[in-house]
Amino acid sequence: MIRASEDNEFYELSSPTLLPKASGFLWNEKMMIHMNCRGYAVAQFMQPEPAKYSYAPNLEAKTFMQPEQPYYAHHPGRFVYVKDEETGEVFSAPYEPVRVPADRYTFAVGKSSIVWKVECGGVLIEMSLSLPKEEAMELWRVKVTNLSQRQRKLSIYPYFTVGYMSWMNQSGEYHEELQAIVCSSITPYQKYQDYAKIKEFSDKTFLLADRKPVAWEVNQEAFEGEGGITGPSALQEEELSKGDARYETPVGVLQYRIRLAPGEEEAYRFIFGPAKNEEQVAQIREDYFIKSNVNGEDGFEAAEREYDQYIREGRGCIEISTPDPDLDQFVNHWLPRQVYYHGQTNRLTTDPQTRNFLQDHMGMSYIKPQVARESFLLALSQQKPDGSMPDGIILHKDAELKYINQVPHTDHCVWLPICLSTYLDESNDYSILEEQVPYADGSGTETVLEHIHKAMKWLAGDRDERGLNYINQGDWCDPMNMVGYKGKGVSGWLTIATAYAFKVWADICEYGGQAEIAKEYRRAAEETNEVINRYLWDGEWYARGITDDNVVFGISTDQEGRIFINPQGWSLLSGAADEEKREKLMRAVREQLETPYGVEKLAPSYTSMREDVGRVTQKHPGSAENGAVYNHAAAFYIYALYSVGEREDAYRLLRKMLPGPTMEDIVQRGQLPVFIPNYYRGAYRQFPRTAGRSSHLFNTGTVPWVYRCLIDGLFGVQGTPEGIAIRPQLPSEWSEAKVRREFRGATLQIEMKREPGVTATEVYANGVYLENGVLSDLKPGTEYKVSVKIPVSE
């Protein structure tokens, strides 16, 4: 039912009903498409804000990517209707809208393409989707093969949803000279000042074919008739009516009539996307279907090849072979792809939240360090002179601050040293600390070192009389918006995270030649940890915060929201939790937060509004921040466990981020293991029926932290100023593992094995024993053979 292809290029599903929401995603820096196994699609492109070219059937609110995307009969999609001209029988590929069970079915998610193979009644339909490297458009191939032993007379009807484009102006028609359906609209506006902006928009949607159809339909209502989308009345006719849409909902449907001998096939190509005008569509036709390059490729073929090369640029810096082949598959092929997506596209927004931007580029430090470097400098250039960071990083001159970035949050500064530390681990580029960077108000420039000093001082100063950090209208948890809006509420997590940030920054300062300043930050971390233990320790775990009315929450007396994961994990990182507290809070996490699908963000989930905490308590129990297995928070905790050597708990929870290995687990989650979603449903003890269900949302800060867990923790191949420290923390069930590590231009081939008689981990590089486990003075272009001997029991 579910398997990786032999070449590891695809992950395959052989049923459209086993995991009906299974999906994959493709992107370039101008667009993204999330493609469902049954043919439904969510796509957007940048102009410069996210916009649609394939719409819902009615007026659609503009919003961010939604978790647990609901699909319905008229959800935007890409389908092919197939009619047997002799019997009148109709089926559709990939499955929707007709839903005729296939004789054979494959949905294959690849790194640079998504492919379906659907066999029904002796006819095979193969569909593939790819993108160009730079342009906002979809590249489709459709191949029809007669697998039967008789001649077949067929009509095929590629169907591309256009939907309700605009209440101001929408239409559509077929242009014979372009061999394309072009649908036009005007983005609605009411302020005349907006006209100058919207007149430059690509408000047309086109469906361009490489082969001339015999007929077409551009009017959705006329196509469906009384049969609806599942059995369109137009398919009962010999040919489509060649209709247009005049302030009516348009659609893109083409008809091809073919006769196929046994074993014969016909292939078609289509381009679907937005355009500014017909001239642009004509140019796309010329560039993609008419012109050829020196290799004999037309633009379509060249674009597919170039896109594949572009995606392969995002390969990771580790490749593993372990006793867990499913983990190997994910880490080697899919995790770096998702990390790369976040860092390369900034989640296709013009104003990413600052915390997201910094963490996404923490991940990019492993893929393209130079891009991460430039991004950290860009973020710091938008810092205020008082040291505070904005809620969103502006990436485009016409960017509009989204609502979430107009709500004041207090955590953004804390991510600066934490994320920069990973870049420094990978690159050893401490020269970045001396880079001169301006402030947002143009008041002058200072070094990165001074910028982050100011950020740390801002965190140290934005506190109440007890020394606890204010929360305002949110910290890392956006919807915790009513804890401190009166100006008194504090964040327990942020106070703990600030202590950790001080520790990380102290290390960076010391390595950067600022030993005295490093001492000051270590002292500040110790003092903060003392405050944490005085006001936030509840006897078994740490509280989440204290409200404007001085009510401590996230404690044992709370009926809901009794325990939160973030303060527990970050207290391990900050050093606030001594050994006794560590054992207590870890036990509390295992007993109250751990589920078969991972560790929940909080428990029990809130079931009604708590007005001194905020809208997080209004979310459905077990969804998103209200008690889901919120993978971003889970990854923090796993990283913290590795930081204190708790390898068994860490690996157990890390493995739960992936669907499987049992089929029962995969079906419950409902997704393929080709990305980590932002959450799996929680509230396991309250609502077990839905627990584990995937959100299917691939935008998440989880993935750079998972990469850190693998590199710094599980395999222990972390960069240092001297070189690379090799200190693996393999789970006891593993007897060996192999890691290929690309690091500062060198390649390390590392074999890790448990061996009898070994009492402490031993590391050898090219046969030479490394006393401290650190391989230094690596030379770019050189390959190192590393042997790691691990005790049989640790």
Side-chain angles (χ1 to χ4, degrees), residues 91-104:
F91 74 92
S92 61
Y95 182 69
E96 301 289 350
V98 183
R99 299 186 178 183
V100 173
D103 299 322
R104 287 188 179 84

Side-chain angles (χ1 to χ4, degrees), residues 709-731:
C709 288
L710 295 166
I711 288 173
D712 298 0
L714 177 58
F715 299 108
V717 285
Q718 182 178 3
T720 71
E722 298 79 23
I724 186 167
I726 301 170
R727 296 162 185 155
Q729 297 190 56
L730 304 186

